[in-house]
Amino acid sequence: MRKLEGRLVIATHNAGKLWEMRDLLAPHGLDAVSAGDLGLAEPEETGETFHANAELKALAAAQAAGLPALADDSGLCVEGLGGAPGIYSARWAEVAPGGPRDFAAAMEKLETALTEIGATPPFAAHFVSVMTLAWPDGTVESFEGKVFGTLVFPPRGMLGFGYDPIFLPEGLTRTFGEMMAAEKQAIPADGSPALSHRARAFQAFARAYL
Ligand code: IMP
């Protein structure tokens, strides 16, 4: 397998993800540049799975930049809602289609949806991240990470991004919104699984390419 060296595009326009992916890549000595910094357009997420969307984002960036590109497609899946919002997690937060995102409203919408179906706590949920590495020649490889937990209402904590304030990882007492990035994203030195879905997907990617 080709090892990664030199320049790598982080194929995201999401500030929260970019921050986390930069942190994860930092110890590996790559020259990571974001899709935004390169002025790349954000492709439309037309896929119906996390894998399909991660691949299309990574490929679009790799081919436009002529560099290897790493994309993440991720989302929150609520078991009681049949896995929603899932691949639509970002779109659930749009105030109007394609418009700005309001995650406080999206978290309220989730609580309302659970109330409407008569669900009672604990509200089982998991985050998924699929990370895809694409090369300019069209080769792609994907890695998946998941973290299971429950949803808490009202949201707790101002750290993190997106749905972090309502997600309580299994066995822990603080939501992702109450954790410092270093805790949510930590990669254990002994090779045991990381906590967050994105860090878990990254561990698999790093074992293959770094
Ligand atoms: P997409 O992968 O660009 O479709 O966006 C995924 C969406 O899922 C993000 O905009 C967030 O709303 C949500 N999401 C993914 N990962 C996380 C996370 O680590 N914390 C909180 N929300 C997340």
Side-chain angles (χ1 to χ4, degrees):
M1 185 167 298
R2 282 179 275 189
K3 289 285 170 187
L4 260 180
E5 300 176 326
R7 270 196 133 189
L8 171 73
V9 182
I10 304 180
T12 185
H13 288 78
N14 176 311
K17 281 190 201 179
L18 177 60
W19 181 260
E20 291 194 354
M21 289 167 80
R22 270 198 201 286
D23 261 10
L24 287 164
L25 286 162
H28 297 282
L30 291 160
D31 174 14
V33 55
S34 77
D37 290 342
L38 293 177
L40 304 183
E42 192 171 3
E44 204 187 329
E45 294 189 18
T46 51
E48 290 182 2
T49 61
F50 291 113
H51 278 82
N53 284 329
E55 285 187 11
L56 73 82
K57 288 187 276 191
L59 266 176
Q63 288 173 342
L67 290 168
L70 183 66
D72 156 290
D73 199 65
S74 48
L76 177 66
C77 303
V78 183
E79 323 303 359
L81 300 177
I87 62 164
Y88 302 107
S89 296
R91 281 163 273 183
W92 254 56
E94 286 173 2
V95 176
R101 295 176 187 149
D102 178 348
F103 281 96
M107 291 187 278
E108 251 182 68
K109 199 159 121 186
L110 274 181
E111 186 178 16
T112 306
L114 286 163
T115 308
E116 277 172 6
I117 60 160
T120 51
F123 304 120
H126 62 276
F127 270 121
V128 181
S129 161
V130 173
M131 274 196 184
T132 298
L133 180 73
W135 298 82
D137 68 5
T139 314
V140 294
E141 193 173 1
S142 297
F143 305 89
E144 185 177 282
K146 286 185 183 176
V147 55
F148 291 85
T150 53
L151 301 185
V152 296
F153 299 102
R156 293 182 355 211
M158 307 284 287
L159 305 171
F161 70 100
Y163 299 92
D164 278 342
I166 53 171
F167 188 77
L168 184 65
E170 210 166 66
L172 299 183
T173 55
R174 279 172 303 126
T175 67
F176 275 171
E178 294 171 307
M179 285 181 197
M180 301 298 285
E183 187 178 355
K184 179 184 169 195
Q185 291 297 108
I187 303 286
D190 64 1
S192 57
L195 174 57
S196 88
H197 50 311
R198 190 163 296 101
R200 287 182 176 180
F202 184 83
Q203 278 180 310
F205 157 75
R207 273 193 287 272
Y209 282 104
L210 302 179

